[in-house]
Amino acid sequence: ALRVMDCWADDLPGAGRVNSYGHAVQLEEDEAVVFSWIEWPFKAMRDAAWPLILRDPRMHPDHNSMPFDAKRMLRGGFQTIVNA
């Protein structure tokens, strides 16, 4: 990975016309939204690395408790459309 980013929300406007970050993760009053991403040089490298990451015992909640509720985590891949 070229870069790993974890960002604590500090300015999330209220619900939009369709959805909001808080609504998407069923945010509770004593919780905060964290937005994270990993920047890979290219998709093939990401696709090759991801199974290795998932096999790492540190990534399994039954062996290592996570600081978040993984059932409410959103995951996906994105293609860059603006890089300024």
Side-chain angles (χ1 to χ4, degrees):
L2 297 174
R3 179 168 67 154
V4 176
M5 297 290 293
D6 292 318
C7 305
W8 198 270
D10 72 348
D11 183 20
L12 296 180
R17 298 182 102 184
V18 177
N19 208 342
S20 68
Y21 285 101
H23 183 258
V25 298
Q26 300 176 348
L27 188 67
E28 296 189 17
E29 193 172 317
D30 63 340
E31 297 177 325
V33 173
V34 175
F35 184 76
S36 302
W37 74 90
I38 302 170
E39 182 179 341
W40 297 96
F42 45 90
K43 186 176 188 244
M45 184 175 286
R46 180 200 72 186
D47 293 346
W50 204 250
L52 302 173
I53 293 168
L54 294 178
R55 282 200 297 264
D56 186 327
R58 294 171 294 179
M59 297 301 292
H60 292 273
D62 25 326
H63 300 293
N64 185 22
S65 66
M66 299 289 164
F68 56 88
D69 181 356
K71 293 181 293 241
R72 294 189 290 161
M73 185 171 81
L74 306 172
R75 179 180 169 273
F78 295 84
Q79 184 177 28
T80 302
I81 58 172
V82 174
N83 183 8

